[in-house]
Amino acid sequence: MTPELNGRERSLIGQLVRGRVLAVFRWGVIVDLGLSRVGLIDVLYIDDGDSYEVGDEIEGNLDYFDEQKDKFILRPPHQTSISERLRMNAFDV
């Protein structure tokens, strides 16, 4: 059983946070946020021109906590959330 998020961590959801890149994979980037769990920037949010290297300091929007992955989900500040993209595309059809 994983421990609950504390009040400070819950209050950061929806906020811009800073962290340090711990690992870079084809499927995403793992970020140390200084919290009880690491952050994940999913590959869906990584553009061809984006570059992440271990040790880089980055900023990202802390979108939510994914209980299945046991990670905070981050989104680069310049990216629109996936849910917002889907909602906007629904009006384009």
Side-chain angles (χ1 to χ4, degrees):
M1 184 157 146
T2 58
E4 295 286 321
L5 301 180
N6 65 41
R8 177 177 170 268
E9 291 172 330
R10 283 192 299 276
S11 73
L12 290 173
I13 293 174
Q15 302 296 313
L16 186 66
V17 296
R18 296 182 66 80
R20 185 175 303 277
V21 174
L22 292 176
V24 179
F25 301 99
R26 289 183 307 156
W27 46 265
V29 177
I30 302 296
V31 180
D32 177 5
L33 301 169
L35 303 173
S36 65
R37 318 300 203 296
V38 296
L40 168 67
I41 301 173
D42 191 282
V43 69
L44 294 171
Y45 287 126
I46 300 174
D47 292 331
D48 289 339
D50 292 345
S51 174
Y52 295 96
E53 294 186 23
V54 172
D56 285 351
E57 291 236 358
I58 60 115
E59 286 187 338
N61 293 308
L62 200 157
D63 277 350
Y64 63 95
F65 178 73
D66 186 317
E67 290 183 15
Q68 287 185 322
K69 293 179 182 175
D70 197 36
K71 292 177 178 49
F72 289 100
I73 303 303
L74 295 170
R75 170 176 49 89
H78 67 279
Q79 291 283 3
T80 303
S81 71
I82 293 171
S83 61
E84 182 66 19
R85 286 189 221 173
L86 291 173
R87 192 171 64 76
M88 290 180 347
N89 286 339
F91 293 112
D92 291 341
V93 179

